[in-house]
Amino acid sequence: MALSRFEYVKQFEQEEKLLPNCWVVVRIDGKGFHRFCNVHSFTKPNDLDALQLMNFAGMTVMQEFNEIAIGYGQSDEYSFVFRREASVYQRRRDKLVSYVASLFTSAYMFHWTRVFDSRSIAMSYPPSFDARAVLYPTDENLRDYLSWRQADVHVNNLYNTTFWNLVASGLSNADAEKRLQGTLASDKNELLFSQFGINYNNEPVIYRKGTILLPKSVYVKDKKQRLIVPIFDDLIGDAFWVTHPEILDKRAKTDDVFELAENLTQPIVLYQLTVQERRKAGHHKAETTKSVLETGSS
Amino acid sequence: MALSRFEYVKQFEQEEKLLPNCWVVVRIDGKGFHRFCNVHSFTKPNDLDALQLMNFAGMTVMQEFNEIAIGYGQSDEYSFVFRREASVYQRRRDKLVSYVASLFTSAYMFHWTRVFDSRSIAMSYPPSFDARAVLYPTDENLRDYLSWRQADVHVNNLYNTTFWNLVASGLSNADAEKRLQGTLASDKNELLFSQFGINYNNEPVIYRKGTILLPKSVYVKDKKQRLIVPIFDDLIGDAFWVTHPEILDKRAKTDDVFELAENLTQPIVLYQLTVQERRKAGHHKAETTKSVLETGSS
Amino acid sequence: MALSRFEYVKQFEQEEKLLPNCWVVVRIDGKGFHRFCNVHSFTKPNDLDALQLMNFAGMTVMQEFNEIAIGYGQSDEYSFVFRREASVYQRRRDKLVSYVASLFTSAYMFHWTRVFDSRSIAMSYPPSFDARAVLYPTDENLRDYLSWRQADVHVNNLYNTTFWNLVASGLSNADAEKRLQGTLASDKNELLFSQFGINYNNEPVIYRKGTILLPKSVYVKDKKQRLIVPIFDDLIGDAFWVTHPEILDKRAKTDDVFELAENLTQPIVLYQLTVQERRKAGHHKAETTKSVLETGSS
Amino acid sequence: MALSRFEYVKQFEQEEKLLPNCWVVVRIDGKGFHRFCNVHSFTKPNDLDALQLMNFAGMTVMQEFNEIAIGYGQSDEYSFVFRREASVYQRRRDKLVSYVASLFTSAYMFHWTRVFDSRSIAMSYPPSFDARAVLYPTDENLRDYLSWRQADVHVNNLYNTTFWNLVASGLSNADAEKRLQGTLASDKNELLFSQFGINYNNEPVIYRKGTILLPKSVYVKDKKQRLIVPIFDDLIGDAFWVTHPEILDKRAKTDDVFELAENLTQPIVLYQLTVQERRKAGHHKAETTKSVLETGSS
């Protein structure tokens, strides 16, 4: 059974390598999440737990690749931005795209019970995600990409918030849709306020802006540590980029300590701190590996 | 927050479409499975349950895509062969590769407890897989690809079987490795027989040949139904291809009913039959969707 | 001036290699040949000399690459079919496509005076061509590609023949176009016959079928030699492929000698014979290189 | 002869589009120019006429594409830098690479007699060139690419100048090669000076630096006009880029008039001026097309 007679088939592998010195965005998208949300009774228009679960999966991907400069999640999608100089898997497209999709999927499932146990939502069937890689040659192109995704969540969330309030008030889905046809953002803001007393700008920022993930040094109980930190902020304007210069320039001073403030209570922050506590306490002496995930089930 | 100002960034997506009329092999590979096997105490050199779990994941992928002609699994890898004319996702490379990787991963995790509960193996951390797509222009190239993978499992399994028997007999890993250096297949066969009384050809065929998955019509309790059937056979010689002409030629008569015989007791066969029974019994009236997976957890 | 500091820029070269075991068609197309034909007063709808010049360029390309199985030219385009196993430039796309375009262009210019001197047509400005590479996985796909090009010349030439006869009879271009709007092939055949006494099937076959180029062994003056031979034939039906089995199967018996018959007087045949005579006569002792082109200008 | 039955073969064309917003370098390389130079008795180590002919071909390419920011030629190669935003042929790789190769080739042949007639060098066989496209995401990468090519000509020309002086002094090629083995740049400079009285820095700058081509506004006889201007300068340092800001930034003020100075006598400048004179004089009333080339042969 000579292996060698067949080995020529390896030559048919044509693994594309992503152009050097470009930003690489890998974007994950949920497959058939409309149905997945229905089957698992996710709250409309936003289910905070489901979004937090996405953040757990995003956190896991960012822990695995230290060459990711920023992550950005909204709805059932997540974007991971690999640095221009990232050399992961020699920038092989298939490997990168498939592995990020797989890792995100498994982390999503792994943290399911952590998030949904209190609501007794069992997983009826496994979710899945696809992924694509897109290259951006300039910092401006990259910022515009992220702005595009954040503008998208704004447009969708304003619509969905109005739509589901109309439905909750008694309209059929079809009537709610008709009611919103042709309306501008200002119309929807006005409708929300006049009809439901809702000031859209007071809606939770995670719904309006999505979640930004950054690796940051933080102080917790007087100890400095590196965490993947969720940030809820506008990233379209310049202020965000001035505040976080290390995203575009990895040589920027990053010894600045990030102030967690109210984000200290974010689920993925609490989780990371718990894992580190446990590790320090020697619960996992046998397993001193890098992955933070391992400690999850004990 | 004008979406339109940023939408130009979509033009940077350069989704490659796979050449028409070629066989498309998507091969899944476990990431870091050496460690994953150790952490979860999988039996060496083969863990039957772990292989069956791979088959569950392979079954799920084949249920999702009716354009897969054949699946083939061995060790921590699985190959899925999409037909020449497959039009899934318009043959977009990123989508296909990432979605198969994600679906395989989630199915692997979803069926974990089904397979490992009796042994009380909890998942310590989530597994992940990468994937690649390779094109083969001719039937001969495709057969040689599958032969390459089956020759590979033969070479590896013969080595591993001998290696772990030597270790079990008291040799250190290093000594066992040294003992096998430069040995031919015949030497290893001889060593197994003379030293351990093992006739390699009597080793379980799933270890020696891997698992072939084919969609087949079968009779169970006098009822004809379509199942994803595991087959343990040599696929290097011609006999296999004569017996299963529908793989290479989708117009081949496929109304022949496949004889399950002893494969009736294979876990993924039993599982599929159970799901169909349940469905028939109306346990899942509310959910009459296509996915077989949904019924898993009830 | 350290070279090494800059050499990293080589890594940005991403030369695609064409999938192995596929037929590779490189098709040349004239750039702006509508104008080029007008400026150089080429006869409408077909200029025999201009077509013969295309054949000279086609011949040159086929002499350069012995991995071309068949060439096919019509109008201002030429297709070259590289064998499945062709290894030229390691199948690098950029190299192959650009070099064939360049070689075709230079041969076209080099033979210009040979063809046009008798008509005193000087080249007013240099012509140019673009090229593309297309892969075909099966013999059937390849035959359909060539049939597509030959069906194209039929459709165009029938139209053009009718159109220019109408114009010659006094119609304006616009009126001739209007006259032909919506007509079927049978209408045009009928119009040609009834109005101009032309039986389309008696038009020169090179206009109706284009030119096929094949490398063949021929007998000239009792001596066997290899030539690039122009053939004017239907290649859509099976007969052509039965007559020339070596195109699809390079192991087919090719020691059969091809009967030149009336093609002996084709310009590229006469040219090749002259070159070989000259070479034999030792006119070019100093230059015993492989290229047939060198002897052109003496 | 239904065209439609075969048209599906068009779907096999997989024309890659070059990533937006990257610099696109198309580099032309002479095929087998070692032999081409020998056959046509080009002077070693540099033949000024042959280099000027390359510049004529480079000029033609730059006249054709107004999206080329800079051209750079040395030895038998020429690089053309298309702007980030260039949209030529929708950035289709095959088209761009093949057409530039073809146009360069035909211009090289078209201007041959203009350059070589005085030396009575007839073209024995047609030259050819291949081409490749390479993408550079940043201005720095692009500058490093051009620096790489200019450093290359320096290294090669210093070697060749020394080598051919040694050969001219009586050494065999093999002995000259041996003499230079392991020598540094400083060694070669010293050898040239001590043995042949040559100060390398006084060698013609076109040999030492290659030719830069830029589109510039110039004043000739008090009339402002656009020309493709040859510049012989160091492009590795910053000074060049400060002097010609429009290369990297197309919005830079380009109404500055470039001072031709001694470059007024460069062959391609004289040629362009002659063509414009002729055109103005109405010699070519019939042909008022854009191409400057047409006037060449009258």
Side-chain angles (χ1 to χ4, degrees):
Chain A
M1 216 177 301
L3 204 52
S4 55
R5 177 154 65 94
F6 305 122
E7 272 181 339
Y8 80 92
V9 299
K10 276 200 282 190
Q11 300 162 15
F12 289 72
E13 297 193 16
Q14 303 193 291
E15 196 107 44
E16 181 195 341
K17 295 199 179 175
L18 301 165
L19 188 67
N21 205 23
C22 287
W23 294 100
V24 179
V25 174
V26 177
R27 183 169 76 246
I28 301 288
D29 276 297
K31 293 287 295 180
F33 256 55
H34 189 73
R35 172 168 166 257
F36 190 81
C37 293
N38 286 334
V39 168
H40 294 95
S41 309
F42 288 177
T43 309
K44 307 272 168 98
N46 291 289
D47 189 300
L48 183 57
D49 289 334
L51 291 175
Q52 295 292 6
L53 181 53
M54 290 292 287
N55 288 350
F56 270 99
M59 171 199 75
T60 303
V61 171
M62 293 194 62
Q63 286 173 324
E64 177 71 11
F65 297 102
N66 61 12
E67 294 180 315
I68 296 178
I70 179 174
Y72 178 68
Q74 58 117 322
S75 185
D76 63 344
E77 72 170 50
Y78 235 99
S79 298
F80 300 99
V81 180
F82 289 78
R83 294 196 167 283
R84 290 174 175 281
E85 68 276 9
S87 61
V88 54
Y89 306 131
Q90 301 114 61
R91 299 174 82 92
R92 287 159 67 187
R93 178 184 281 269
D94 278 9
K95 278 231 178 238
L96 187 61
V97 158
S98 61
Y99 179 45
V100 172
S102 172
L103 186 61
F104 191 92
T105 305
S106 62
Y108 188 95
M109 292 183 70
F110 191 74
H111 291 288
W112 179 276
T113 49
R114 187 178 325 284
V115 169
F116 284 120
D117 253 15
S118 60
R119 286 161 64 187
S120 302
I121 302 182
M123 192 186 287
S124 303
Y125 67 97
S128 54
F129 298 84
D130 66 29
R132 76 197 67 197
V134 191
L135 298 172
Y136 290 105
T138 64
D139 296 356
E140 186 190 9
N141 294 149
L142 175 65
R143 281 189 53 180
D144 286 347
Y145 169 80
L146 290 165
S147 296
W148 176 50
R149 299 324 300 147
Q150 195 170 65
D152 182 79
V153 73
H154 172 78
V155 168
N156 289 335
N157 190 58
L158 177 56
Y159 181 94
N160 291 337
T161 303
T162 320
F163 178 88
W164 289 107
N165 270 290
L166 287 170
V167 169
S169 76
L171 264 61
S172 69
N173 285 18
D175 286 343
E177 200 181 328
K178 199 179 295 173
R179 173 68 186 81
L180 292 175
Q181 222 159 29
T183 55
L184 303 176
S186 53
D187 300 327
K188 295 189 198 77
N189 273 304
E190 175 60 24
L191 190 158
L192 277 175
F193 191 71
S194 61
Q195 198 163 338
F196 305 110
I198 292 173
N199 182 338
Y200 180 72
N201 289 326
N202 295 339
E203 287 292 286
V205 65
I206 188 175
Y207 301 165
R208 289 183 292 115
K209 301 287 185 195
T211 301
I212 298 160
L213 295 185
L214 293 178
K216 288 284 185 186
S217 295
V218 298
Y219 269 113
V220 182
K221 297 184 192 160
D222 294 346
K223 244 204 98 225
K224 193 168 156 185
Q225 38 192 318
R226 292 287 286 178
L227 294 183
I228 304 298
V229 171
I231 292 171
F232 308 96
D233 204 349
D234 173 89
L235 55 65
I236 297 179
D238 290 334
F240 174 78
W241 302 92
V242 172
T243 310
H244 308 285
E246 80 280 8
I247 302 175
L248 295 180
D249 179 7
K250 72 166 180 174
R251 290 159 305 188
K253 262 172 58 95
T254 55
D255 52 353
D256 283 359
V257 171
F258 181 75
E259 185 59 55
L260 272 174
E262 76 271 17
N263 287 343
L264 181 57
T265 62
Q266 279 289 315
I268 65 170
V269 171
L270 294 175
Y271 173 74
Q272 291 175 81
L273 295 175
T274 308
V275 168
Q276 297 197 3
E277 294 261 314
R278 244 184 239 162
R279 202 165 273 172
K280 216 165 41 195
H283 277 207
H284 288 263
K285 271 180 189 148
E287 271 290 319
T288 55
T289 59
K290 65 191 156 100
S291 174
V292 113
L293 286 165
E294 291 165 42
T295 58
S297 61
S298 61
Chain B
M1 218 179 296
L3 204 51
S4 55
R5 178 154 64 95
F6 306 122
E7 273 180 338
Y8 80 92
V9 298
K10 277 201 281 190
Q11 299 162 17
F12 289 72
E13 297 194 15
Q14 304 193 291
E15 195 107 47
E16 181 195 343
K17 295 197 179 176
L18 300 165
L19 188 67
N21 206 22
C22 286
W23 294 100
V24 179
V25 173
V26 176
R27 183 169 76 246
I28 300 287
D29 277 297
K31 292 289 295 182
F33 256 55
H34 188 72
R35 171 167 167 259
F36 190 81
C37 294
N38 285 336
V39 167
H40 295 94
S41 311
F42 288 177
T43 309
K44 304 273 168 90
N46 292 288
D47 187 302
L48 184 56
D49 289 334
L51 291 176
Q52 295 293 6
L53 181 54
M54 290 293 285
N55 288 350
F56 270 99
M59 171 198 75
T60 303
V61 171
M62 293 194 64
Q63 286 173 325
E64 176 72 10
F65 297 103
N66 60 12
E67 296 180 316
I68 297 178
I70 180 174
Y72 178 68
Q74 59 117 321
S75 183
D76 63 345
E77 73 171 48
Y78 235 99
S79 298
F80 301 99
V81 179
F82 289 77
R83 294 195 168 284
R84 289 173 174 282
E85 67 277 7
S87 62
V88 55
Y89 307 131
Q90 301 116 60
R91 300 173 82 91
R92 286 158 68 187
R93 178 184 282 268
D94 278 8
K95 278 231 178 240
L96 188 61
V97 158
S98 62
Y99 180 44
V100 173
S102 171
L103 186 61
F104 191 92
T105 304
S106 62
Y108 188 95
M109 292 183 70
F110 192 73
H111 291 288
W112 178 277
T113 50
R114 190 179 323 285
V115 169
F116 284 120
D117 253 14
S118 61
R119 286 161 66 188
S120 301
I121 302 182
M123 191 185 287
S124 303
Y125 68 96
S128 54
F129 299 85
D130 66 28
R132 75 196 70 195
V134 192
L135 298 171
Y136 290 105
T138 65
D139 297 356
E140 187 190 6
N141 294 149
L142 175 65
R143 280 189 53 181
D144 286 347
Y145 169 80
L146 289 165
S147 297
W148 176 50
R149 299 324 300 146
Q150 196 169 63
D152 181 79
V153 73
H154 172 78
V155 168
N156 289 335
N157 190 58
L158 178 56
Y159 181 93
N160 291 337
T161 303
T162 320
F163 178 88
W164 289 107
N165 270 291
L166 287 170
V167 169
S169 77
L171 264 63
S172 70
N173 286 18
D175 285 344
E177 201 181 325
K178 200 180 293 173
R179 174 67 187 82
L180 292 175
Q181 222 159 28
T183 56
L184 303 175
S186 54
D187 300 328
K188 296 188 197 77
N189 272 304
E190 176 60 23
L191 189 158
L192 277 175
F193 191 71
S194 62
Q195 196 162 342
F196 305 110
I198 292 173
N199 182 339
Y200 181 72
N201 288 327
N202 294 340
E203 288 291 287
V205 66
I206 189 175
Y207 301 166
R208 288 183 292 115
K209 300 289 185 194
T211 301
I212 297 160
L213 294 185
L214 293 179
K216 287 284 186 187
S217 295
V218 298
Y219 269 112
V220 182
K221 298 184 191 165
D222 294 344
K223 246 204 97 223
K224 193 168 155 183
Q225 40 192 316
R226 293 286 286 177
L227 295 183
I228 304 300
V229 171
I231 292 171
F232 309 96
D233 205 349
D234 173 89
L235 55 65
I236 297 177
D238 291 333
F240 174 79
W241 302 91
V242 172
T243 308
H244 308 286
E246 80 279 8
I247 302 174
L248 295 180
D249 178 7
K250 72 167 179 172
R251 289 158 308 188
K253 263 172 57 95
T254 54
D255 52 354
D256 283 1
V257 170
F258 181 74
E259 187 59 57
L260 272 174
E262 77 270 18
N263 288 343
L264 181 56
T265 62
Q266 279 289 314
I268 66 170
V269 171
L270 293 175
Y271 172 75
Q272 291 175 83
L273 294 175
T274 307
V275 168
Q276 297 197 3
E277 293 261 314
R278 242 182 240 164
R279 202 166 271 173
K280 218 166 38 193
H283 277 205
H284 289 263
K285 269 178 191 149
E287 271 290 319
T288 56
T289 58
K290 65 192 158 97
S291 174
V292 112
L293 287 166
E294 293 164 41
T295 59
S297 60
S298 63
Chain C
M1 219 178 298
L3 205 51
S4 55
R5 177 154 65 96
F6 304 122
E7 273 181 339
Y8 80 92
V9 298
K10 278 202 280 190
Q11 299 163 16
F12 289 73
E13 297 194 15
Q14 302 193 293
E15 196 107 43
E16 181 196 342
K17 296 198 178 177
L18 301 165
L19 188 67
N21 205 24
C22 287
W23 295 100
V24 179
V25 174
V26 177
R27 182 168 78 244
I28 300 288
D29 277 297
K31 292 290 293 181
F33 257 56
H34 189 73
R35 171 168 167 257
F36 190 81
C37 294
N38 285 336
V39 167
H40 295 95
S41 309
F42 288 176
T43 308
K44 309 265 165 107
N46 291 290
D47 189 300
L48 184 56
D49 289 334
L51 292 176
Q52 294 293 6
L53 182 53
M54 291 291 288
N55 288 351
F56 270 99
M59 171 198 76
T60 304
V61 171
M62 294 194 61
Q63 286 173 326
E64 177 71 11
F65 297 102
N66 61 11
E67 295 180 314
I68 297 178
I70 180 174
Y72 178 69
Q74 58 116 325
S75 184
D76 63 344
E77 73 170 48
Y78 235 99
S79 298
F80 300 99
V81 180
F82 289 78
R83 294 195 168 285
R84 289 174 175 283
E85 67 276 9
S87 61
V88 53
Y89 306 131
Q90 300 116 62
R91 300 174 81 91
R92 286 158 68 187
R93 177 184 281 269
D94 277 9
K95 278 231 177 239
L96 188 61
V97 157
S98 61
Y99 180 45
V100 172
S102 172
L103 186 61
F104 191 92
T105 304
S106 62
Y108 188 95
M109 293 184 68
F110 191 74
H111 290 288
W112 178 277
T113 50
R114 188 179 324 283
V115 169
F116 284 120
D117 254 15
S118 61
R119 286 162 66 188
S120 301
I121 302 182
M123 191 186 288
S124 303
Y125 69 96
S128 54
F129 299 85
D130 66 28
R132 76 196 69 197
V134 192
L135 296 172
Y136 290 107
T138 66
D139 297 356
E140 187 190 6
N141 294 150
L142 176 65
R143 280 189 53 180
D144 286 348
Y145 169 80
L146 290 165
S147 297
W148 176 50
R149 300 323 301 146
Q150 195 170 63
D152 181 79
V153 74
H154 172 77
V155 168
N156 289 335
N157 190 58
L158 178 56
Y159 182 94
N160 291 337
T161 303
T162 319
F163 178 88
W164 289 107
N165 270 289
L166 288 170
V167 169
S169 76
L171 265 62
S172 69
N173 284 18
D175 285 344
E177 199 181 328
K178 199 180 294 172
R179 174 68 186 82
L180 292 175
Q181 222 159 28
T183 56
L184 304 175
S186 54
D187 300 327
K188 296 189 197 76
N189 272 304
E190 176 59 24
L191 190 159
L192 277 175
F193 191 70
S194 61
Q195 197 164 338
F196 305 111
I198 292 173
N199 182 339
Y200 181 73
N201 289 326
N202 294 339
E203 288 291 288
V205 66
I206 188 176
Y207 300 165
R208 289 183 294 113
K209 300 288 185 195
T211 302
I212 297 160
L213 295 184
L214 293 179
K216 287 284 186 186
S217 294
V218 299
Y219 268 114
V220 182
K221 297 185 191 161
D222 294 344
K223 245 204 100 225
K224 192 167 155 186
Q225 39 192 317
R226 292 289 286 179
L227 295 182
I228 304 299
V229 171
I231 292 172
F232 309 96
D233 205 349
D234 174 89
L235 56 64
I236 297 178
D238 290 335
F240 174 79
W241 302 91
V242 172
T243 309
H244 308 286
E246 80 279 8
I247 303 173
L248 295 180
D249 179 6
K250 71 166 182 174
R251 289 158 308 186
K253 264 172 55 95
T254 55
D255 53 353
D256 282 1
V257 170
F258 182 74
E259 186 57 57
L260 272 175
E262 76 270 18
N263 287 343
L264 181 55
T265 62
Q266 278 290 313
I268 65 169
V269 171
L270 293 174
Y271 172 74
Q272 290 176 83
L273 294 174
T274 307
V275 167
Q276 297 197 4
E277 292 261 313
R278 241 183 241 163
R279 201 165 273 173
K280 217 165 42 193
H283 277 206
H284 288 264
K285 270 180 190 147
E287 271 291 318
T288 56
T289 59
K290 67 189 155 98
S291 174
V292 114
L293 286 165
E294 293 164 42
T295 59
S297 61
S298 61
Chain D
M1 216 177 298
L3 204 52
S4 55
R5 179 154 64 94
F6 305 123
E7 273 181 338
Y8 80 92
V9 298
K10 276 201 282 191
Q11 300 162 17
F12 289 73
E13 298 194 15
Q14 302 193 292
E15 196 105 46
E16 181 195 343
K17 295 198 179 177
L18 300 165
L19 187 67
N21 206 22
C22 287
W23 295 101
V24 179
V25 174
V26 177
R27 183 168 78 245
I28 301 287
D29 276 297
K31 292 288 295 181
F33 257 55
H34 188 73
R35 171 167 167 259
F36 190 81
C37 294
N38 285 335
V39 167
H40 294 95
S41 310
F42 288 176
T43 309
K44 307 269 169 101
N46 291 289
D47 187 301
L48 183 57
D49 289 334
L51 292 176
Q52 295 292 5
L53 181 53
M54 290 291 287
N55 288 351
F56 269 99
M59 169 199 75
T60 303
V61 171
M62 294 194 61
Q63 285 173 326
E64 178 71 10
F65 296 102
N66 61 12
E67 295 180 315
I68 297 178
I70 180 173
Y72 178 69
Q74 58 117 319
S75 184
D76 63 345
E77 73 170 48
Y78 235 99
S79 297
F80 301 99
V81 180
F82 289 77
R83 294 194 168 284
R84 289 173 174 281
E85 67 277 7
S87 61
V88 54
Y89 307 131
Q90 300 113 61
R91 300 176 80 91
R92 287 159 67 189
R93 177 184 281 269
D94 278 9
K95 278 231 177 239
L96 188 61
V97 158
S98 62
Y99 181 44
V100 172
S102 172
L103 186 62
F104 191 92
T105 304
S106 62
Y108 187 95
M109 292 185 69
F110 191 74
H111 291 288
W112 179 278
T113 49
R114 188 178 324 284
V115 169
F116 285 120
D117 254 13
S118 60
R119 285 161 67 186
S120 302
I121 302 181
M123 192 186 287
S124 303
Y125 69 95
S128 54
F129 298 85
D130 65 28
R132 77 196 67 197
V134 192
L135 298 171
Y136 290 105
T138 65
D139 297 356
E140 186 190 7
N141 293 150
L142 175 65
R143 280 189 54 179
D144 286 347
Y145 169 80
L146 290 165
S147 297
W148 177 48
R149 300 324 300 145
Q150 195 170 64
D152 182 79
V153 73
H154 172 78
V155 168
N156 288 335
N157 190 59
L158 177 57
Y159 182 94
N160 291 337
T161 302
T162 320
F163 178 87
W164 289 108
N165 271 290
L166 287 170
V167 169
S169 77
L171 263 62
S172 70
N173 286 17
D175 285 344
E177 200 181 327
K178 199 179 297 174
R179 173 68 185 80
L180 293 174
Q181 222 158 29
T183 56
L184 304 176
S186 53
D187 300 326
K188 297 189 196 76
N189 272 305
E190 174 60 26
L191 190 159
L192 277 175
F193 191 71
S194 61
Q195 195 162 340
F196 305 110
I198 292 173
N199 182 338
Y200 181 72
N201 288 327
N202 294 339
E203 287 291 288
V205 65
I206 188 175
Y207 300 166
R208 289 182 293 115
K209 300 287 185 193
T211 301
I212 297 160
L213 295 184
L214 292 179
K216 287 285 186 185
S217 295
V218 298
Y219 268 113
V220 182
K221 297 183 192 162
D222 294 345
K223 245 202 100 227
K224 192 169 156 183
Q225 38 192 317
R226 292 288 286 177
L227 295 183
I228 304 299
V229 171
I231 292 172
F232 308 96
D233 205 350
D234 173 89
L235 55 65
I236 297 179
D238 290 335
F240 174 78
W241 301 92
V242 171
T243 309
H244 308 284
E246 80 281 6
I247 302 175
L248 295 180
D249 179 5
K250 72 166 179 173
R251 290 160 305 188
K253 262 171 58 93
T254 54
D255 52 353
D256 283 2
V257 171
F258 181 76
E259 187 58 58
L260 273 174
E262 76 271 18
N263 288 342
L264 181 56
T265 62
Q266 278 291 313
I268 66 169
V269 171
L270 294 175
Y271 172 74
Q272 290 176 83
L273 294 175
T274 308
V275 167
Q276 296 197 5
E277 293 260 315
R278 244 183 237 165
R279 202 165 269 172
K280 216 166 41 193
H283 276 208
H284 287 264
K285 270 179 191 149
E287 271 291 317
T288 56
T289 58
K290 64 190 158 97
S291 175
V292 115
L293 286 165
E294 292 165 43
T295 58
S297 62
S298 62

